[in-house]
Amino acid sequence: IASPSCATALCLAVMGDLWRSKKMSLVQLVVQNGAAHAVVSKLGELGMMQLRDLNAGQSFFKRSFVDEVRECDDLQRILRSVEEQLVEAGIAPSSSGATDPSLPSLDTVDAKLRAAEVEVETLKASQSLFERNNNALDEQSIVLEMGKKFYKTGAAPALSESDMATSLLSLTEFGGQASSMLSVLAGVIKTESVAALERVVFRATRGNAVFQQKTVKTKLLDTSGKVPELVQKTFFMVFFSGAVLGDKVSKIATYFGATLYKYPSTALDHAAMTYEVHKRKAESAQVLEQSTAILRGALTSLAAAYGPWSYVVAREKMVYDALNKCEFDLKRAVFLAEGWVATDEYEALVTSLQSAAVAQGLDTRPIINLIQSKLTPPTYVPTNAFTSGFQALVNTYGTPRYREVNPGAFCCILFPYLFGIMFGDFGHGLLFAGFGYWLISKEKEWEGKDLGDMLEMVYGGRYICFLNGLFGAFVGLLYNEAFAFPMGFFGTSRWEGFEEEGLSGMTCEHLERCELSGPIYPVGIDPIWHVTENKITFFNSLKMKISIVVGVLQMSLGIYLSLLNHLEYKDVKKVLFQFIPEVTFFGGIFGYLVLTIFMKWSTDWSCPLDHAAAEAGLPAAEGGICQPAPSLLTLLINMFMSPTADITVPLYGIECFGGAGNPDCAGVAEAGYCVYPALAAACPVSCGAPVAAGDFVDLLRAATVDEHTGAMLSSEYKICISPLQSYIQLKLLLAAFVAVPILLLAIPLIEIYQHSGNKYDNLDEDDHEAEDDGHAFSAGDAFIHQGIHTIEFVLGGISNTASYLRLWALSLAHSQLAELFKDMILGAGLKSGIENPALAAVATFIAFSMWAIISLIVLMAMENLSSFLHALRLQWVEFQNKFYKGDGKKFVPFSFQTMVENMDDEE
């Protein structure tokens, strides 16, 4: 499956590169100083090269272009301030404008941006002043309006025109009529502070002041803080007598953050002031509206230029940061740059730089040299829309080492397969696959957009969801199970019941005895097993063995992938003394365990003649070997604990003595099997054991039946052994034990020998790493590292195999939970027994709804996440630790496109 946005050939190439990281070459550029900026800019456009820092260890402040980088930082600070103001004004900034061919230069952006900053700051200051003035007029108007309800006075003499012109004082000036008996102080204050102000005024004046208040319905601007904001305020008016009290109350109100306004003492003054305030409010509103329009126009112009300017500044900063990594030769007037480029892109890089030099009119073209180096290159693994999600799972564990086998190539299939084993249900799998397909269909609509953290994470794993669902449906098809209902996808059960005359033709769900009526079920598990009494026992055994088989096969794949790593690094000693011992140990124990599982599955252990069935008139089983099936757990334990003991319940190579059709004790002696303790104890006479006459006789015999009555006279005594199985298990165990010291000691001893004569193996991957880190070889470290690896591998072989049993546990849990919800919720609704059809339909609908909701939450969400995490654990720990180092450094090319993508993500 390839991304819809890429060509088929390109996607196939990317899938091929997923196997191993691309081969990298170290390139040196020699360019004249005057062309440095142009060449580095071209490198950013190409995005093919990761630059090395040739000035590593040198302080940033001592580098050549520190002033230019600081200037770009300052411009980015201004751009961030502009962006904040645009967001505050509700204006969306323009896109990056990376594709605009007429982008301005950095000097042009610098001049225009700084001028725009000054202009916007001036307009913002004027805007703030106009808002404060308009707010003061609003508050003065409220004081005049609300004060009339509390303040009443007698008639006052009329004022002349000159007095009226001078009677209106400053809006924030406090004054009073000297001729009044009572003075008044009015203003507004935050609602949360008015109660405290009233208490303090009462105590300070000893009750000689009257405090009146009323909440203002509309919110007013609070200018006491750094950023003005709309708050709820309350109008207050204080009546008092005397200038001393007036000063005291004024200071108290100012301390509480109140704004005081003049209140006229006569009706004529009140009318004149009201008229003047309304007049000023109209003028202020007009000025404020014009100021807002001018500011918004300036911000709109900035928003149009914001994207291109941000791109130019970020691009130039990247260029100057890259130039700071280069080395300048002042004598030859050239600069040197080094970097990593994919080997298959080297020719394209050379051609593009040469063309750029011609287009820029440079006197000399760049000199491009390939450098042979022992430095470890970065890891470059190209991905597309399909592989990026799976590769991200691997990279979360660690970036692949250079040219190491990339687990991402196997994660695309193995991870969904492990998930499917645990999530195996045909119905649930199809639902999950449908959800993944829906996410894939949204690619054109959602690509490059801000979806939020949670949705962005789910969308990034859309192909993981799709494949997980498909594999869940596939395994559910093998289980023949959909929504916990047994499904006969490939016909009815092949097991049929018996009647007296033979097969009844009916499935054995409701009958006591069953027999296969023909070939086994063609695909998956016969659905009859879902309704048998021993269902749990059967599925436990089956899924447990499947878990072990899958685990051992996947870990074996990991061990063989380590061989490919050793061959890639040409590390012969690790092929001989690490890979071969690991295969010997792991295959000799756990590979043999898998082989025994398949042998037990493929062997018919039934008896060829069933006397009880014959007496009942029923057909007998055919083709079996009439042996008890051995317990594989017991087999594995005895292989370790009693490797030389007789195997009396063998799996293969079975040789039986005694019983019908088998040799007796004489045959034991003739075959030379008296060396086996079990046979020697059963045949002491034939094997020449010193026994007294009549005390002990040979026990091996067939059963005897009375010819006339058919009664059983004596039971058979039979012993089966397997010399072949004993021989093979002993040899495998010895090989596994011999492999451990070889794995532990061989490589450290070889490395000590190599370094004892000042020799150096340039092809050793660990020595490469040591050289890069600058550490000298240490024999102690070599033994410690190899010892840790040996202990991890040996103990991990046991623990990791047991860890795969989580496949069985999660699969069983998913199946049982689904069956529980089906029987207890949906089944209860379908079998409600309600006779009224309408009520029965309502009960069925409620039961179905509850079943669907609980299944969605528990099975499709919680169980889904649980299976995902367990599959991820198996991918990371059990599989990848067999071959994957994950200590590489990711290839990060110098690319303007990456910068644009990061800018879009931030937006």
Side-chain angles (χ1 to χ4, degrees), residues 768-845:
H768 271 303
E769 183 180 3
E771 177 192 4
D772 292 342
D773 296 338
H775 298 304
F777 173 78
S778 170
D781 290 344
F783 276 108
I784 291 174
H785 292 163
Q786 192 63 25
I788 292 174
H789 173 79
T790 304
I791 293 173
E792 285 183 347
F793 182 83
V794 173
L795 298 183
I798 302 172
S799 63
N800 293 348
T801 304
S803 181
Y804 275 91
L805 292 176
R806 69 184 70 236
L807 298 176
W808 155 57
L810 268 293
S811 174
L812 187 66
H814 185 92
S815 176
Q816 291 302 302
L817 282 174
E819 185 175 0
L820 175 67
F821 297 153
K822 180 200 70 173
D823 294 339
M824 302 301 294
I825 299 177
L826 184 60
L830 295 176
K831 302 176 182 178
S832 60
I834 301 176
E835 296 181 357
N836 189 314
L839 295 179
V842 172
T844 302
F845 176 77

Side-chain angles (χ1 to χ4, degrees), residues 137 224 260 432 451 490 545 614 764:
L137 289 169
S224 60
L260 304 179
F432 195 39
L451 304 176
F490 303 96
K545 291 181 174 65
D764 187 281

Side-chain angles (χ1 to χ4, degrees), residues 56-336:
Q58 186 179 19
S59 172
F60 168 76
F61 302 100
K62 295 181 180 180
R63 302 202 179 192
S64 303
F65 295 93
V66 61
D67 294 333
E68 287 79 358
V69 173
R70 284 179 171 177
E71 179 184 359
C72 292
D73 286 336
D74 189 46
L75 292 177
Q76 287 183 330
R77 175 192 61 79
I78 298 174
L79 286 169
R80 286 193 297 270
S81 176
V82 169
E83 183 182 11
E84 292 174 359
Q85 296 180 31
L86 292 176
V87 172
E88 182 181 351
I91 302 175
S94 61
S95 58
S96 62
T99 58
D100 189 356
S102 59
L103 289 173
S105 64
L106 181 63
D107 293 336
T108 303
V109 173
D110 190 354
K112 290 184 177 181
L113 185 57
R114 294 186 186 279
E117 180 190 21
V118 173
E119 179 185 4
V120 171
E121 287 180 354
T122 303
L123 291 175
K124 290 283 288 185
S126 301
Q127 176 83 358
S128 178
L129 180 61
F130 293 147
E131 289 177 351
R132 291 170 185 268
N133 184 57
N134 191 70
N135 183 73
L137 289 169
D138 288 339
E139 291 180 351
Q140 177 69 73
S141 177
I142 291 172
V143 168
L144 292 174
E145 181 181 353
M146 290 187 171
K148 292 190 297 183
K149 299 179 181 179
F150 301 113
Y151 184 81
K152 293 183 180 180
T153 183
L159 296 176
S160 62
E161 293 183 1
S162 60
D163 293 336
M164 185 178 296
T166 59
S167 63
L168 186 59
L169 301 180
S170 173
L171 292 176
T172 58
E173 179 183 359
F174 172 73
Q177 298 293 335
S179 60
S180 300
M181 293 297 295
L182 287 177
S183 299
V184 62
L185 183 144
V188 292
I189 189 173
K190 291 182 180 179
T191 301
E192 62 265 22
S193 303
V194 66
L197 174 63
E198 184 177 2
R199 288 194 301 269
V200 173
V201 168
F202 178 81
R203 293 172 182 174
T205 61
R206 298 183 180 182
N208 292 319
V210 178
F211 191 95
Q212 299 290 342
Q213 59 167 309
K214 186 175 183 181
T215 303
V216 181
K217 294 182 179 179
T218 59
K219 291 186 177 182
L220 297 171
L221 197 65
D222 178 27
T223 59
S224 60
K226 294 182 179 180
V227 180
E229 58 179 345
L230 292 174
V231 298
Q232 190 68 48
K233 289 190 176 183
T234 299
F235 162 78
F236 70 92
M237 181 174 280
V238 183
F239 297 92
F240 58 88
S241 177
V244 176
L245 284 181
D247 292 340
K248 183 180 295 186
V249 173
S250 176
K251 291 178 181 178
I252 292 172
T254 303
Y255 174 79
F256 277 91
T259 306
L260 304 179
Y261 293 94
K262 181 179 178 180
Y263 191 84
S265 58
T266 64
L268 187 59
D269 291 344
H270 186 279
M273 182 176 287
T274 302
Y275 171 78
E276 184 67 21
V277 168
H278 283 291
K279 179 181 177 182
R280 289 192 183 183
K281 281 183 62 178
E283 294 174 353
S284 176
Q286 184 178 2
V287 172
L288 182 61
E289 182 180 356
Q290 294 176 355
S291 173
T292 303
I294 294 173
L295 177 60
R296 188 169 185 84
L299 291 177
T300 303
S301 301
L302 271 177
Y306 175 84
W309 288 359
S310 298
Y311 173 75
V312 170
V313 173
R315 183 191 66 184
E316 292 300 313
K317 183 182 178 183
M318 284 188 66
V319 170
Y320 288 121
D321 281 334
L323 289 173
N324 278 333
K325 296 180 180 179
C326 301
E327 181 179 333
F328 286 83
D329 190 338
L330 299 179
K331 293 183 179 180
R332 295 186 295 172
V334 297
F335 85 95
L336 304 177

Side-chain angles (χ1 to χ4, degrees), residues 416-700:
Y417 182 58
L418 295 176
F419 177 90
I421 294 176
M422 294 179 280
F423 197 72
D425 186 284
F426 187 74
H428 297 153
L430 285 185
L431 287 179
F432 195 39
F435 173 70
Y437 182 78
W438 176 76
L439 291 175
I440 294 173
S441 67
K442 293 290 184 178
E443 280 188 351
K444 294 183 179 179
E445 180 181 349
W446 288 357
E447 194 66 32
K449 294 184 179 180
D450 183 15
L451 304 176
D453 293 339
M454 183 62 69
L455 185 56
E456 180 70 28
M457 180 180 64
V458 176
Y459 173 73
R462 57 195 180 279
Y463 287 99
I464 298 178
C465 296
F466 181 64
L467 281 189
N468 283 355
L470 287 184
F471 275 90
F474 167 71
V475 177
L477 188 66
L478 298 183
Y479 294 159
N480 271 318
E481 186 174 5
F483 300 111
F485 289 93
M487 305 298 292
F489 292 113
F490 303 96
T492 58
S493 173
R494 299 302 191 266
W495 290 82
E496 294 185 359
F498 284 109
E499 291 182 350
E500 292 185 0
E501 64 275 9
L503 293 175
S504 65
M506 300 174 57
T507 58
C508 55
E509 180 179 355
H510 303 293
L511 300 173
E512 294 184 356
R513 286 187 56 81
C514 297
E515 187 66 50
L516 279 173
S517 60
I520 62 175
Y521 205 73
V523 177
I525 298 173
D526 195 304
I528 196 64
W529 286 106
H530 290 278
V531 295
T532 58
E533 293 182 358
N534 62 337
K535 170 187 174 181
I536 297 296
T537 304
F538 171 77
F539 278 101
N540 268 346
S541 175
L542 176 68
K543 293 182 178 181
M544 186 185 302
K545 291 181 174 65
I546 289 176
S547 301
I548 297 297
V549 170
V550 170
V552 172
L553 291 179
Q554 186 176 23
M555 289 188 289
S556 299
L557 173 63
I559 296 175
Y560 280 96
L561 290 178
S562 70
L563 172 63
L564 301 181
N565 285 336
H566 302 329
L567 296 176
E568 175 68 21
Y569 298 128
K570 299 181 177 61
D571 195 346
V572 179
K573 66 177 181 296
K574 287 197 173 182
V575 173
L576 298 177
F577 302 109
Q578 181 166 309
F579 167 73
I580 293 179
E582 287 178 351
V583 169
T584 303
F585 177 84
F586 193 81
I589 297 176
F590 303 102
Y592 177 70
L593 175 62
V594 170
L595 180 63
T596 59
I597 290 175
F598 283 111
M599 294 183 68
K600 184 175 180 180
W601 278 344
S602 60
T603 302
D604 185 2
W605 301 96
S606 61
C607 292
L609 180 62
D610 190 338
H611 295 285
E615 293 175 0
L618 301 177
E622 298 179 359
I625 62 174
C626 198
Q627 279 290 113
S631 168
L632 298 184
L633 180 60
T634 303
L635 182 150
L636 191 64
I637 293 175
N638 290 337
M639 179 178 173
F640 280 92
M641 304 304 297
S642 304
T644 59
D646 292 343
I647 301 176
T648 56
V649 187
L651 176 65
Y652 57 92
I654 302 174
E655 297 185 24
C656 294
F657 296 89
N662 298 321
D664 54 10
C665 285
V668 171
E670 292 176 1
Y673 284 173
C674 289
V675 295
Y676 294 97
L679 293 177
C683 303
V685 177
S686 299
C687 290
V691 294
D695 290 346
F696 200 86
V697 296
D698 293 341
L699 300 178
L700 297 181

